[in-house]
Amino acid sequence: MSSLITEDEISHEADIVWLEDIDHLDYVRQSLDRLPTRKGKPAYHRDGRMVGYVLLGTTAKPSRASGTFRRRVFWLLPHDRDSQPLGLYAKSAPAEAVDPRTLEPRVKGYKTERSEGGPPSSAMQELGITLPL
């Protein structure tokens, strides 16, 4: 979950691989999964679809207990806004969702007005911050 991901847990990230064009996604769900490798496309075992994943650098160490690596995976469920724009998340986003435009290696990402289903706030407009709507 985005709020549970610590900067230390993502400090060895080298790159994000997007499987879809994120310019058309208001939000993605992110989780920190235990995976057998630092790199490569991970297996996906959720409903919905994986839209991206992180590659780790060579300094990332596996867990002593399991031998796995903690890597972020980005995904969407069938009832998310991209598939059901007027559905459950028309004017909100799931707890683990972030705006994909705020994600970078070693950056947790955050929710924006767009990811929450609304237009940019007046504060964003005054500062000249624009997001694609």
Side-chain angles (χ1 to χ4, degrees):
M1 309 294 174
S2 60
S3 61
L4 301 178
I5 294 173
T6 67
E7 291 185 17
D8 184 53
E9 291 173 311
I10 61 176
S11 65
H12 297 283
E13 293 181 345
D15 200 9
I16 296 176
V17 175
W18 292 111
L19 303 172
E20 296 186 20
D21 180 1
I22 61 169
D23 289 337
H24 303 292
L25 299 174
D26 294 340
Y27 64 81
V28 295
R29 295 170 185 255
Q30 71 175 340
S31 58
L32 199 56
D33 293 358
R34 292 195 176 277
L35 301 170
T37 62
R38 285 182 187 96
K39 298 182 183 258
K41 184 178 178 182
Y44 185 72
H45 303 291
R46 294 178 178 90
D47 286 341
R49 66 191 195 277
M50 179 171 40
V51 296
Y53 56 91
V54 165
L55 304 177
L56 299 179
T58 57
T59 59
K61 303 284 187 244
S63 163
R64 288 185 187 174
S66 66
T68 59
F69 296 89
R70 304 226 29 213
R71 290 170 53 194
R72 284 190 293 172
V73 175
F74 307 103
W75 46 285
L76 290 167
L77 291 175
H79 61 273
D80 280 324
R81 190 180 315 145
D82 70 304
S83 297
Q84 294 185 10
L86 301 176
L88 178 63
Y89 295 113
K91 294 291 181 190
S92 65
E96 68 273 15
V98 294
D99 187 328
R101 292 157 206 80
T102 67
L103 290 165
E104 293 180 27
R106 299 173 303 282
V107 175
K108 293 190 288 185
Y110 54 90
K111 289 187 176 177
T112 63
E113 285 81 359
R114 177 186 171 125
S115 67
E116 288 290 330
S121 67
S122 57
M124 287 180 65
Q125 292 171 3
E126 287 173 19
L127 293 171
I129 301 170
T130 59
L131 298 171
L133 292 178

